[in-house]
Amino acid sequence: MSQYASLLIALPLFGAFFIPILKRTSKNAVMPFLVLVTLIQTGIAAWVFNEVYTTGKPIIVLAGGFKPPVGINLYIGHFAALFVLVIALASFLMAVFSLRAVSIEPKDKYAMLFLLLMLGATGMISTGDIFNLFVFMEITAISAYALTAYNKTGEASEAALKYIVLGGIGSSFFLVGVALIYGSLGTLNMAHIAELAHLVNPTVAKAGLALLIFGLAVEAEQFPLNAWAPDAYQEAPHPVTAMFSAFVVKASLYAMGRVIYILSAVEGWDSILRLLIILGTLTVIIGEMSALRQSNVKRMFAYSSIAQVGLIAVGLALGTQAGLSASVFHMFNHAIVKALMFLAVGYVALELGGAEISKFEGLGKKMPITAFAITVGAVSIIGIPLFNVFWSKVQLILAALNAQYTWVVALILGASLVEATYYIRLIHAMWFKGEGEKVKESNVLALVMLLLVALIIVIGIYPEPFWNAMQKAGSDIFDVAQYVKNVPLLGVNP
Amino acid sequence: MIAVYLFLIAAAVVLSMYRFFRGPTTADRIVAVDIMTTLTTGLMVLFALYYKRAIFLDVALVYAVLAFVGVVAFARYMEGGL
Amino acid sequence: MGEASRISRYIYTVLTLFVIWLFLTSSFDPQEVAIGAIFALIVGALTYEVFTERGLGNLSPKRVLYFIAYIPYFLWAMIKANLDVAYRVLHPKRPINPGIVECKTVLTNNVGKLALANSITLTPGTITLDVKGNRYFIHWIDVKDESVEGASEKITKPFEKFLKVIFE
Amino acid sequence: MSIASLIGQVLVLIGAFFYVVSALGLIRMPDVYNRMQTATKSATLGSLGVIIGAGIWAIGEVGSYSWIPKTLVIAIFLLLTNPISAHALIRAAYRSGVPLWEGSVVDKYKEAEKSLERVEGIKGNLEEALEEGEKDE
Amino acid sequence: MVKRILAIVFILIIGFWMAKALDQIPFGQDRMLVGKYYLEHVTEDTGAINAVTAVVVNYRGFDTLGEVTVLFIASTGVAALLWRKKRKRTAKTEGSIVLTTGARLLLPFIMLFGAYIFIHGHLTPGGGFPGGATIATAFLFFYLAFTVYEIDHKIFEPLEGFAGLGYVTVGLIGLAIGGYFLFDWIWQTWGIGRENVGRLLSAGFIPIIYTLIGIKVGTELTGIVDNMIKEPEEGG
Amino acid sequence: MNPYYFASIALILIGLYAVLTKRNVLKILVGLSIMETGVNLLLISVGYVSGRSAPILSEGITPDRAVDPIPQALVLTAIVIGVATTAMALSVVINLYERYKTLNVEEIRRLRG
Amino acid sequence: MNELALIVFTPLIAGAFAWLIDVKGIREIVGVLGAAVPLGYTALLYQKTGEGLSFVLNLGVFKLTFALNTLNWFFLGIGALVGFAAILALVSTGRDSYEWLFALMSLSGVLGVFLANDLMAFFIFWEIMTFASFMMVLHYNKAASLKYFLLSVFGAYAMLIALGIIYAKLGTFDFAQIQQAMYKEAYATAFGADTLFSKGESALIYLLFLIAFGVKAGMFPLHVWAPDAYSETNQSYAAMFSGVLSKAGVYGFVLLYILMGTRLAIEFGGFRSTTKFGYIIAFLGGLTIIVGGLLAALQEDIRKLFAYSSISQLGYILVGIGVGTALSMQAALFHALSHALFKGLFFLIVATIVYRTDKTTFADMGGLAEKMPFTFAMAFVAILSLAGIPPLVGFASKWVLFEAVISQNLPILGGMVFFGSAIGFVYLIRFTYAVWFGQRPSELENTKDAPLPMATAMAILALFNVVLGIAPGLVARELNKIFGKEVIGGNLFVLDLGFGRYNALAILIYLVVGIVIAGIIYFMGAKVRKVPVTDTYQSGNPVTMEYNLTIRRNFFLPLKETLAFWLRISFDKLYQDIGAWVEDLAEVLRNYVYNGNVQSYAWYLAVVLLILALWGV
Ligand code: NA
Ligand code: NA
């Protein structure tokens, strides 16, 4: 029965391949079909989540029926089960949003790319094979390239070009890393690599790990490898931007975490972590500073998102279980908040014809529900208690302190202060500046936004069950010994 | 013995590379590519013989097809026929 | 000569493809043959319209005979051409006298024209530069006659007597 | 060494020789047209020699006759396509404006093109005149 | 100039670093681990004699499904990005009769050859991707020769979809019959072709998948070519 | 240094050099492709075993006479991915050129800051 | 339901209801009830402070615990009382249901802060309080709210980090456990044993708490938000804001002593008769007194005056806490109570004036005593109390404080405290004359006296000012209870410190007589002199408006000019400059880093690769 979790991969593919055929019969059915597929995907993801969290055991999908490391396996542990659900749900909501947000043709192609972006991220977080990770990373990246350029403006193309060039360099070096690891161990399965990690030649291992992380860090938007991100975020269709921020970057972050921890036996591991902490820190600082005086709100959110991603990376690189759990929690919270924020900003841009901050003046009067949603999201990101992000920031602080990284704490403080500055400016513009006629807000989108708002507040007020889940998810990445034990490795040993 | 021929043909490929790098016109370079691909096809067939594996002949054939169409594509592009 | 029937063209295409398949697989394994037949039928169905105009008409004994006879003739021309090339290339003085000349052909069939053009290209000192209607423009490495008639006599005529039979 | 091997080897040798000639021609000839003249022909003939030779050689070397049909296919493919690509290239070279070598004696193509242009030009003028006439009505 | 020198210094250092790491992986040594397992079990597990193909389609079928998806994304993406209301070819000159006739004559042969490549994937170095690429080449040649030529998207796009659906469906049948997604039920459950190893009709679902991939890749690459070659019309 | 390793690293670096120094977007993309080629060559080289043949178990090749099939399978995938990326990149560049009328990276910077 | 839970959550729930119902009349009733419940329960719990009442709110991740003791009952009392008065006054001045929601929410917040028994509960309610008060300011003035918000976030995160460090080391947020652990730490330090917290970490925690509580208490130089925030909000609410919310900062400092005072004292040693860490607090408190007082004197806006005054008064409390003896602590707590009472009252008075006249600057006021006799009477009490004139509560607390500081032989602090008192007189004179006496602008002819709710609210606070002033022993008794020993002796009317005595009752009797006489003189005199204010000449020339030195305008201009150099040093401006500088830097940085050229971006990748390579080689 658990093998049916492979539907998580099969369904989006099936959906994407079916669209060209569907289009021939009814062009108008494509977008509703997209919503339907993402809805079913959410259902499957919910089932998988339930399965994993009730049994407490990961689902190991054996593609082709071959046991790893001979075959490729999917490892849907606590992390993947959780994030598969996040991805599916976010995709579903954004598919709903797309009904309204996407008017540029060819929509059937958009729907296909949309599904494949979702597929790519799903694959990245669930695969148990390092080359398969590369394949899913490329699926994600290439559909992201296409979607970034989808609007076909010069700027969109420019953004996509930057993404392609940087992503291309990243993926090439990632593959060099794979070649090094493979050349040294003769296997690609992550659990197998973890099991044999002590056998790798230290020089090779160090270079290999560094290159793998380098490649992933480009997609994970770590400074200074993230220069593509603000442009892509700004120019992609609004639902896509939300997806980038909500889960695409998270998938890369996860992959980074997974790769780091399966190779934790490698000599010089600590210094790689330290390097990553430095990168993460710079990501936070530069991201926040760049957001500070942005006049385009979407771009501002993009930088804000990058800064949060830096925090997540720092959490990943703390090298402790608490750090990972906090990091995962922050990923989760950030996914919800940024899905909401980009949805809202996109909706505003659609209704009012742009995302410049001037468009947001008087938004409280024009689009009160949207303005409210943005406000809640902003307040949450700043780290106000009783909103969800507060808890993950607290956990990050605790984890950093436990790991003797006191200055990370100062980082979070400073970052939050800067966040507070620019978000308050936005909130002020929305509620206390400008006038305007009330715009009829879409009921469906209002519902979606309020759902996310409710989620933010529910987690803020009652974080326990979520935190428990996050700790399990964090331990899923951290506890490599358990990971190796969970994967039914065939005895192919040197 | 086959190795000698392999070397001979490889030398011819290297020689024709001179024209590729030297130019001076784009047409010269494409001609060089055309010749190089033809020579390489022969080289591949000889390699198949060297390794005694007929399956490599398929590779040579695929290569010949792709190279041919590629060269024509370049030519048509140069001419403005695309 | 007009187009042959669809059936004729289809069968001719399938036959050609099937023979090529046999060559490709170099095998009479029934599995290969069967699959080859199937593929020939499918690919033939997709492509016969562009592949041939005359269909089975190509296989008339006269044409086949002339075609067989043409092979050694052409090969010999080609070897001569290459010796000529070798001479010009290896000769320290590089003896050439190039130019573009025009020839006329009596061929009207496209495949025939293609065969003529290819033949010209592969034989002594000439490359087909362009074909417009019945006018062939030819780059000649050692121009011996600039007039259309003279050039035609030297370049196209020798092939045409075969090609006319095979393709017209 | 079997007869087949011998024949095969001789063919390969001849082919390889022409390959080298082809490369030399590519280097030595003064313009792209003459380079094509020499290189294409010898490369094609060389291919026939090398590829078919290899097929025959395989009878002795590998002990299989199954090489011959496939090498034949490759050889014929090259025989058919090399002149086509050469033709496409030379036409492209000419049309993209690569000049003939200064020692060239005649360019009939240029003359033909010019007269063609004249014809086209007259045709164009006529069409314009016709269109205008229609407008007047 | 400074940029160039700096770039050279950079790449030399980076190259030295990679070389140092590679130095620890001696070239040409047998370090196979999983690879060895494949070589020893490939025929029994999959019925293919081409171990690469078995790895591609069976053992690492997931990668290949992903690979197919990547190409599908590219084809879709290119079509999405180059989509205009009206587009057409704007080539200046048609190919000469040599080229057009050559294209007509070569089309069936190249297509057949593509089919040959993908159907023999388990026996020779071919497979769905080179086979599909070869087929696409035939169409590309048509685009090169004729300035008015255009494929019929009404056929190509659904065909692409059907081929993809077929692949996923084959995988799902495996899930239904053998309990695993992409399980080779033809070989492992039904045992069809077990006596045929080394001949055409063997290797379970490999020929089927490679046929589907061949069709898919052929249509996709052709579609990409079509999109790239056309240009938007005024106001399109 | 083994020549195959050397060549693959050289290709990767040449590609990187092009990306870092060429102003024309198309040349940068070519640089990326060269890098990819280098990486593929590297993968193949890593899996090569001296004196062995392609892992197709016919014509007398037994498992102990074949090279590692995995890198070859990986490279097949990597090549296709490279082609896909290039196709995407080209269509992006087509759109870009249509709008900006330039392929100079120094002029393609409307998005900044 | 648990009494503590009722105290903490009733205002919030009432506020939510008031907001949802949004019907004038009903929301006021609901709101006032919401503030009355905590007050009632606080009164009821007076007898139960020793019973260890507690309440746990399980959030899962952390438990939020609340418990009652004598100390926090004292603060609870301040909060509930002044809070109730402010809410009552809000009946008149409340503009909309928004204000009801957030005013009550902030009351919940501050009561939660006082009742919290662990740091997480403390922090969360601290944030609720901050957020709600921010919303109240935001409603009136954006710039002020932004400044308040930023400093609050700064403080909040400082606290959060301190919490984090403590939790990371001790694994608990519970006050008792932290206190215990810190005692152990202190002994360990004293005996040179290993400690969980290094010296640096202890210093860091101290610094973080100093920032966190200092912001809320308006301690110099973190006070810059306060003048704007206190003045730019509903003035009824300002009574609570300044009277109660600032006490959360004070309470925080007290908590700091309780949790880790010993530890800090031992780690960092003493300074003269006090501890180093305490002296820092006290010294900053002293500066706060002076800066707040001087600036208060220079204000032309009545609200601003009291805002600065509030800051200045908080300085006294900080001095008391910083000196750190039992007596000075008691003095600080006492003054916290006094300040809440008289500053609450002041803000209600200001609220009434603004409500009735719609004016906020001294220039527009005058002669209101006649029109608003009741309010004037209230102002009279408040002025006397703030000025520290017996027998009002302000005197009692200030007297104890003076004694506590002087007795510790801390001359600088003593000087600051005395200077503060002097300057206090200065600005009070301004308030007294400019608002209540002198010529009344014609527009104010129809001014009415306070409406009933405000009058009631003022009366309540005034009553406490008087009662606790006459019977300071009531407070002393409570304070002694908190400290578990008799620090301040005496009886109901007499405070006996051992080296000084104060008999409130005796002074009351002298004063009643004095006031009666003064009142008679004033009311008679006011009829006699009626001089047009603008017709003043200086050296034969008409003075410009700039130099129009009436009591109502630019009265302290000479002072201003004297202090010109010092006034130019504005921390407010400094922070703004730093902010602007950071933003400019960020602007330059981002345009430099994200310069738009993809090749530059590729170089970034190459640089990272180079770093990896160099580090790998
Ligand atoms: Na010729
Ligand atoms: Na060729």
Side-chain angles (χ1 to χ4, degrees), chain G residues 246-571:
Chain G
S246 63
K247 301 304 174 296
V250 172
Y251 180 67
F253 279 117
V254 175
L255 209 54
L256 179 68
Y257 267 87
I258 293 173
L259 293 183
M260 51 191 301
T262 325
R263 163 85 172 129
L264 291 174
I266 292 177
E267 184 77 82
F268 302 107
F271 177 80
R272 286 179 177 251
S273 59
T274 178
T275 58
K276 263 184 195 151
F277 84 94
Y279 193 81
I280 293 172
I281 299 174
F283 186 77
L284 290 172
L287 285 176
T288 312
I289 297 175
I290 294 170
V291 171
L294 279 175
L295 290 172
L298 298 175
Q299 298 308 312
E300 297 298 318
D301 185 308
I302 180 170
R303 300 169 303 167
K304 278 257 162 49
L305 184 148
F306 285 108
Y308 277 109
S309 156
S310 203
I311 292 166
S312 177
Q313 295 297 325
L314 254 303
Y316 288 102
I317 302 171
L318 295 181
V319 169
I321 290 172
V323 169
T325 61
L327 181 60
S328 78
M329 278 288 193
Q330 286 208 352
L333 295 186
F334 199 162
H335 198 63
L337 171 65
S338 302
H339 176 251
L341 291 174
F342 64 66
K343 194 49 60 65
L345 182 53
F346 262 126
F347 273 108
L348 291 183
I349 292 162
V350 172
T352 309
I353 296 170
V354 174
Y355 178 69
R356 283 306 193 196
T357 66
D358 234 5
K359 301 276 187 288
T360 59
T361 54
F362 290 116
D364 298 329
M365 292 183 194
L368 284 175
E370 211 176 342
K371 291 284 169 187
M372 306 173 81
F374 178 78
T375 311
F376 173 57
M378 295 295 109
F380 191 62
V381 172
I383 291 163
L384 294 187
S385 191
L386 190 153
I389 291 170
L392 290 163
V393 71
F395 176 80
S397 58
K398 227 179 241 182
W399 177 76
V400 181
L401 190 66
F402 289 158
E403 296 288 334
V405 175
I406 293 163
S407 68
Q408 288 305 305
N409 188 23
L410 297 164
I412 299 176
L413 291 182
M416 286 168 158
V417 170
F418 279 114
F419 179 81
S421 268
I423 198 84
F425 276 109
V426 168
Y427 61 74
L428 280 177
I429 289 167
R430 185 85 190 287
F431 172 69
T432 312
Y433 285 90
V435 174
W436 303 106
F437 303 133
Q439 195 186 34
R440 185 169 50 242
S442 53
E443 309 135 66
L444 300 184
E445 278 311 312
N446 298 323
T447 311
K448 292 195 193 97
D449 207 340
L452 184 64
M454 304 192 81
T456 318
M458 288 190 286
I460 292 169
L461 294 184
L463 186 70
F464 274 91
N465 269 292
V466 175
V467 169
L468 295 181
I470 297 169
L474 280 175
V475 183
R477 201 171 64 202
E478 282 311 303
L479 296 172
N480 288 335
K481 220 200 274 177
I482 294 168
F483 281 72
K485 61 180 177 186
E486 190 177 278
V487 180
I488 304 175
N491 57 32
L492 196 57
F493 302 110
V494 178
L495 299 181
D496 187 353
L497 305 180
F499 47 88
R501 268 172 68 88
Y502 159 58
N503 189 330
L505 193 60
I507 290 177
L508 171 70
I509 295 163
Y510 302 137
L511 252 138
V512 169
V513 179
I515 288 166
V516 170
I517 298 168
I520 293 167
I521 291 170
Y522 167 73
F523 284 111
M524 288 170 67
K527 280 175 194 153
V528 181
R529 274 183 264 121
K530 279 206 168 169
V531 182
V533 252
T534 47
D535 288 354
T536 316
Y537 285 79
Q538 188 179 15
S539 309
N541 294 317
V543 288
T544 58
M545 279 309 266
E546 187 63 20
Y547 257 85
N548 190 353
L549 298 180
T550 73
I551 193 108
R552 297 206 323 232
R553 184 179 290 125
N554 289 327
F555 186 63
F556 292 112
L557 191 61
L559 177 66
K560 205 176 200 168
E561 287 176 344
T562 317
L563 296 174
F565 173 76
W566 295 101
L567 287 175
R568 245 183 288 133
I569 305 171
S570 157
F571 276 82

Side-chain angles (χ1 to χ4, degrees), chain E residues 23-223:
Chain E
D23 221 29
Q24 307 297 319
I25 304 177
F27 180 83
Q29 271 187 15
D30 181 4
R31 285 177 308 270
M32 275 187 266
L33 186 60
V34 180
K36 194 166 169 208
Y37 176 95
Y38 288 156
L39 289 173
E40 282 164 3
H41 297 79
V42 59
T43 319
E44 177 201 333
D45 281 356
T46 69
I49 57 169
N50 183 344
V52 178
T53 296
V55 172
V56 166
V57 182
N58 292 73
Y59 296 117
R60 300 188 65 86
F62 229 50
D63 275 351
T64 308
L65 187 58
E67 185 183 349
V68 169
T69 308
V70 167
L71 207 57
F72 181 72
I73 295 169
S75 144
T76 309
V78 170
L81 298 192
L82 300 180
W83 186 93
R84 301 290 184 278
K85 276 209 190 80
K86 278 182 187 167
R87 300 179 65 218
K88 66 164 189 188
R89 305 258 332 248
T90 54
K92 277 180 275 182
T93 58
E94 178 111 350
S96 74
I97 195 158
V98 176
L99 210 53
T100 54
T101 312
R104 286 158 180 274
L105 288 181
L106 286 168
L107 177 74
F109 167 68
I110 298 180
M111 273 177 82
L112 182 76
F113 183 52
Y116 167 83
I117 297 285
F118 67 62
I119 202 71
H120 284 89
H122 54 300
L123 304 173
T124 71
F129 290 95
T134 309
I135 290 175
T137 306
F139 289 100
L140 171 61
F141 198 29
F142 256 61
Y143 276 98
L144 294 176
F146 300 94
T147 52
V148 291
Y149 181 72
E150 191 179 343
I151 56 162
D152 189 352
H153 285 274
K154 284 203 184 73
I155 295 171
F156 271 66
E157 279 186 16
L159 195 58
E160 195 180 332
F162 272 120
L165 281 182
Y167 192 172
V168 179
T169 308
V170 169
L172 288 176
I173 294 173
L175 180 60
I177 292 181
Y180 298 101
F181 185 51
L182 289 175
F183 183 78
D184 187 350
W185 86 98
I186 296 179
W187 181 259
Q188 305 212 33
T189 311
W190 294 356
I192 289 178
R194 286 213 175 254
E195 66 289 349
N196 276 349
V197 172
R199 292 173 65 194
L200 189 55
L201 299 181
S202 62
F205 65 17
I206 292 178
I208 296 175
I209 286 184
Y210 262 171
T211 303
L212 291 167
I213 293 179
I215 294 170
K216 197 161 165 49
V217 171
T219 48
E220 269 158 6
L221 290 179
T222 310

Side-chain angles (χ1 to χ4, degrees), chain B residues 34 37-38, chain D residues 82 85:
Chain B
D34 186 25
T37 56
T38 306
Chain D
N82 267 356
S85 59

Side-chain angles (χ1 to χ4, degrees), chain A residues 72-134:
Chain A
I72 295 176
N73 69 294
L74 295 187
Y75 181 94
I76 306 180
H78 285 92
F79 180 88
L82 177 69
F83 266 79
V84 158
L85 187 57
V86 170
I87 291 171
L89 190 62
S91 301
F92 168 63
L93 296 178
M94 291 312 136
V96 172
F97 182 33
S98 298
L99 288 176
R100 197 180 178 96
V102 177
S103 55
I104 293 174
E105 289 293 338
K107 284 194 221 165
D108 56 311
K109 303 282 187 286
Y110 172 84
M112 291 186 246
L113 294 168
F114 185 102
L115 284 175
L116 296 172
L117 184 68
M118 174 176 87
L119 166 84
T122 307
M124 278 179 83
I125 59 163
S126 46
T127 185
D129 185 282
I130 200 164
F131 187 80
N132 196 238
L133 172 65
F134 168 78

Side-chain angles (χ1 to χ4, degrees), chain C residues 81 117-128 139 159, chain D residues 37 41:
Chain C
N118 280 3
S119 302
I120 291 167
T121 301
L122 289 176
T123 46
T126 50
I127 299 186
T128 313
H139 186 270
F159 296 113
Chain D
Q37 283 277 9
K41 284 187 243 303

